[in-house]
């Protein structure tokens, strides 16, 4: 298998690792892609970015009230 972040994964396709990556594990290498997109276009003065491990994505919330989401107009 392959080891990523101290955890052993079996050979083959891994749909989702503990840290939100999709990977392919072979005898030669382990190749991974992130399952999340980083927000870059939002109101940086009034909002902050928080990683949501359940949804494997970033939430952008108001600094003054984290229960309220902010509008994100671009992600990479």
């Amino acid at each position: 298998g392959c080891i990523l972040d101290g955890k052993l994964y079996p050979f083959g396709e891994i749909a989702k690792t503990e840290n939100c990556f999709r990977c392919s594990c072979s005898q030669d290498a382990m190749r991974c892609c992130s399952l999340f997109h980083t927000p870059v276009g939002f109101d940086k003065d009034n909002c902050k970015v928080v990683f949501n491990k359940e949804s494997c994505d970033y939430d952008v919330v108001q600094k003054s009230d984290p229960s309220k989401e902010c509008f994100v107009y671009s992600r990479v």
Side-chain angles (χ1 to χ4, degrees):
C2 299
I3 295 178
L4 179 67
D5 297 327
K7 183 170 181 191
L8 179 64
Y9 291 93
F11 288 125
E13 297 299 315
I14 301 142
K16 179 180 153 188
T17 68
E18 285 182 359
N19 293 324
C20 298
F21 286 88
R22 179 176 42 237
C23 299
S24 174
C25 172
S26 68
Q27 289 183 341
D28 300 331
M30 185 170 193
R31 294 175 182 83
C32 299
C33 295
S34 65
L35 293 171
F36 48 88
H37 297 93
T38 306
V40 291
F42 61 94
D43 180 353
K44 292 178 175 67
D45 293 331
N46 297 308
C47 303
K48 65 180 180 178
V49 176
V50 179
F51 190 71
N52 182 334
K53 206 165 184 179
E54 292 298 314
S55 67
C56 282
D57 209 353
Y58 287 100
D59 294 333
V60 181
V61 296
Q62 292 181 8
K63 289 179 182 177
S64 60
D65 185 356
S67 68
K68 294 182 181 174
E69 288 191 29
C70 292
F71 178 73
V72 178
Y73 46 88
S74 65
R75 292 179 182 258
V76 291

